[in-house]
Amino acid sequence: MDTGSPHEVGPDGTQSTAVAAGGEPVWIALPPGLLRMRRLLLVVWLGLIALAAGLLPGLLAGPAWAAFALPPLALLAWGWVMIERNWRSWRYAERADDLLISRGVLWREETVVPYGRMQLVEVTSGPVERHFGLASVQLHTAAAATDATIPGLDPAEAERLRDRLTELGEARSAGL
């Protein structure tokens, strides 16, 4: 995967999207902050459940009942791996006329959002996302089925993407 910037600045100061050899789009992966945030939430919630499931029965009914902590701990181990696989599956690419968003491990889903059909592009960041320095870009189109989200971006990248998509949407506005 290309680790350099996928965007080039032209002589007029506008950004254009880089395209790999052969006309393939340059895919951009999500930053690792999203993986860290999701794993921390997994550990906090399943850790609390494991503690409650093992400690309370263990103290009240005997040490053998502390084994009830094992299923949440096994789920935590499985979730740790699955969260990384899901995080690795997310990527997006800016093309000349549309934005591609790809995600999914077992069932791959690729969403194509034409710039001219975008009605609203917003950047959101909840309290947990802000703590980890993350933001999400939400794309709204006339057809609700083509709405798309790119989670876990660096706030500066999210704002850059919002501004670029808004600019391209206005330039290619298809109208209703």
Side-chain angles (χ1 to χ4, degrees):
M1 178 179 279
D2 184 10
T3 57
S5 173
H7 309 287
E8 300 170 357
V9 178
D12 59 351
T14 60
Q15 264 187 349
S16 64
T17 303
V19 176
E24 290 293 319
V26 176
W27 290 98
I28 303 168
L30 297 183
L34 180 65
L35 176 63
R36 284 192 298 273
M37 179 187 78
R38 288 180 174 174
R39 280 184 166 171
L40 178 67
L41 292 173
L42 176 77
V43 168
V44 166
W45 289 111
L46 284 178
L48 288 173
I49 291 171
L51 187 64
L55 186 63
L56 290 176
L59 291 174
L60 298 175
W65 290 91
F68 279 115
L70 294 178
L73 292 175
L75 189 60
L76 182 120
W78 178 78
W80 187 271
V81 173
M82 291 299 112
I83 285 174
E84 182 173 357
R85 288 185 67 198
N86 179 271
W87 169 75
R88 286 188 186 281
S89 75
W90 277 87
R91 58 190 184 151
Y92 67 97
E94 297 173 62
R95 296 194 303 184
D97 296 318
D98 50 35
L99 178 73
L100 300 175
I101 302 171
S102 179
R103 64 191 169 278
V105 177
L106 293 177
W107 286 272
R108 299 285 305 158
E109 185 176 328
E110 190 167 295
T111 304
V112 179
V113 184
Y115 297 135
R117 295 291 181 185
M118 282 189 256
Q119 292 184 331
L120 174 68
V121 181
E122 61 184 345
V123 174
T124 59
S125 184
V128 176
E129 285 179 312
R130 280 194 308 274
H131 178 76
F132 283 89
L134 301 172
S136 296
V137 174
Q138 177 81 37
L139 308 162
H140 299 277
T141 64
T146 58
D147 286 359
T149 302
I150 304 173
L153 296 174
D154 177 68
E157 170 64 7
E159 290 175 16
R160 183 207 64 81
L161 190 58
R162 177 201 59 208
D163 294 343
R164 174 139 172 87
L165 295 176
T166 301
E167 175 186 313
L168 289 168
E170 289 172 357
R172 291 177 174 83
S173 180
L176 295 175

